[in-house]
Amino acid sequence: MIIFIIIVLIILTTGFRIVRQNYEGLIETLGKYSRTTNAGLTYIIPGFQRLRKVSLALQPLEISKYSIITKDNAEITTSLTLNYQVTDSYKYFYNNTDSVESMVQLIRGHLRDIIGRMELNEALGSTSKINSQLADAIGDLTDVYGIRVIRVNVDELLPSKEIQRAMDKQLTADREKTAAIAKAEGEARHIELTTKAKNEALVKTAQAKAEAVKLEADAENYRIKKLQEALNEAGENYFKDQSISSFKDLAQGPNNLVIMDKNDMTNLSAVPAAKKLWDAAEQQDD
């Protein structure tokens, strides 16, 4: 009898269980769910009941890389990270054999659909947009899996190696094209500036020559004007003196033939006389 009582006491004392903070306990009786217990001390009937603990804390999860085909048939590799939390321990544990794996498959399917409607260049430059659309598509999974996704993020989108090589070639070609255009524009600018400088130099040279010609013409006009003014102011005796001087030079020269108008023939006698006068004047000077 005492042994029986001891055995009963041992069985009764082994039925106490502790559910930790941020956990819920699912109690099954003979394999069937009976109730949910919160954190703290709880009791189950040994041999008849079983306690399953489910964490309610935020859980990080990394979804490994997998391939997706874009709208323009380009293959890219993506990987994701997310944080989820169990909001309904009963649905999480009993409605699915593996709620986390089911959630991962659902997220992958939505991501394939989102990226599959984008072309490669759009997808590679729209990570934040993809994250937003993916979060909206996932929504609240509590009703299905008992899980709520707190945050989901596409960590990387990498095109295949073949596409990367093609993109590198295109990038190199674009850079070479840009450099060639810049060089051509620089040369064209240089030619433009050089031509402009030469034209300006030619214009300035022509202007300088025109100014010089103008100054020379003005000087000649000034000389002629002054000479004309001097001649206008000279008297009749001045011209007679100039005529006598000219006849003197002519008489002394070897070519002393003078052609004159008949009306001036009477003046020829003055030539020898003038010659003698000049000779006498020269002797006196000597």
Side-chain angles (χ1 to χ4, degrees):
M1 186 65 179
I2 296 176
I3 297 175
F4 177 76
I5 294 174
I6 293 174
I7 294 174
V8 171
L9 290 175
I10 292 174
I11 293 175
L12 291 177
T13 55
T14 56
F16 290 101
R17 297 288 187 273
I18 295 176
V19 178
R20 292 185 296 170
Q21 183 69 31
N22 283 335
Y23 277 80
E24 281 185 346
L26 302 175
I27 298 176
E28 299 174 350
T29 302
L30 298 177
K32 182 180 179 180
Y33 168 79
S34 58
R35 61 189 176 91
T36 300
T37 182
N38 296 324
L41 182 64
T42 188
Y43 182 81
I44 63 172
I45 302 173
F48 292 92
Q49 292 182 326
R50 181 178 179 181
L51 177 66
R52 298 184 182 275
K53 299 177 183 179
V54 178
S55 174
L56 303 180
L58 194 66
Q59 302 286 336
L61 179 64
E62 180 178 354
I63 300 178
S64 59
K65 295 181 180 180
Y66 65 101
S67 298
I68 299 177
I69 303 299
T70 62
K71 183 178 180 180
D72 50 351
N73 295 322
E75 181 182 357
I76 60 176
T77 302
T78 182
S79 62
L80 300 91
T81 55
L82 58 88
N83 295 98
Y84 70 93
Q85 185 177 29
V86 175
T87 53
D88 190 320
S89 57
Y90 177 86
K91 292 180 179 180
Y92 171 79
F93 193 83
Y94 293 110
N95 285 2
N96 295 277
T97 56
D98 193 336
S99 293
V100 173
E101 181 61 27
S102 298
M103 176 188 65
V104 169
Q105 292 177 2
L106 179 67
I107 292 174
R108 284 180 173 177
H110 283 305
L111 186 58
R112 282 195 178 97
D113 179 64
I114 293 171
I115 295 180
R117 288 184 273 109
M118 294 181 175
E119 294 187 354
L120 176 62
N121 290 336
E122 181 185 3
L124 294 178
S126 304
T127 304
S128 58
K129 178 180 178 181
I130 293 173
N131 288 336
S132 178
Q133 292 183 2
L134 184 58
D136 293 339
I138 295 171
D140 189 359
L141 302 178
T142 300
D143 290 339
V144 181
Y145 305 116
I147 295 174
R148 183 165 64 96
V149 176
I150 306 300
R151 183 189 64 86
V152 62
N153 183 68
V154 177
D155 291 332
E156 61 180 11
L157 290 172
L158 297 176
S160 63
K161 293 182 179 180
E162 292 77 9
I163 295 177
Q164 287 185 23
R165 285 194 290 267
M167 292 175 66
D168 290 341
K169 290 181 180 179
Q170 182 64 39
L171 182 60
T172 301
D174 290 342
R175 288 176 177 173
E176 292 177 351
K177 179 181 178 181
T178 302
I181 292 174
K183 181 179 179 181
E185 290 177 348
E187 291 177 351
R189 181 62 177 168
H190 174 72
I191 293 173
E192 179 184 355
L193 294 176
T194 302
T195 303
K196 182 179 179 181
K198 289 182 179 179
N199 291 338
E200 290 178 353
L202 290 174
V203 170
K204 290 181 179 180
T205 301
Q207 291 175 346
K209 288 183 178 180
E211 186 68 21
V213 171
K214 182 177 182 299
L215 292 174
E216 184 178 356
D218 291 343
E220 182 65 18
N221 290 335
Y222 179 78
R223 187 184 68 80
I224 294 173
K225 180 180 179 182
K226 289 298 182 181
L227 179 61
Q228 187 65 41
E229 291 177 354
L231 292 175
N232 291 337
E233 293 176 357
E236 183 179 355
N237 292 331
Y238 172 78
F239 290 103
K240 288 181 179 181
D241 292 341
Q242 291 296 318
S243 298
I244 294 172
S245 178
S246 297
F247 276 113
K248 174 186 175 182
D249 294 338
L250 180 61
Q252 291 178 343
N255 299 321
N256 51 13
L257 177 63
V258 180
I259 300 175
M260 301 182 64
D261 187 85
K262 65 180 181 178
N263 296 325
D264 296 329
M265 293 295 291
T266 56
N267 295 326
L268 291 176
S269 59
V271 174
K275 175 67 168 61
K276 290 180 180 180
L277 290 174
W278 274 315
D279 291 341
E282 288 178 355
Q283 289 177 359
Q284 290 177 0
D285 292 337
D286 296 337

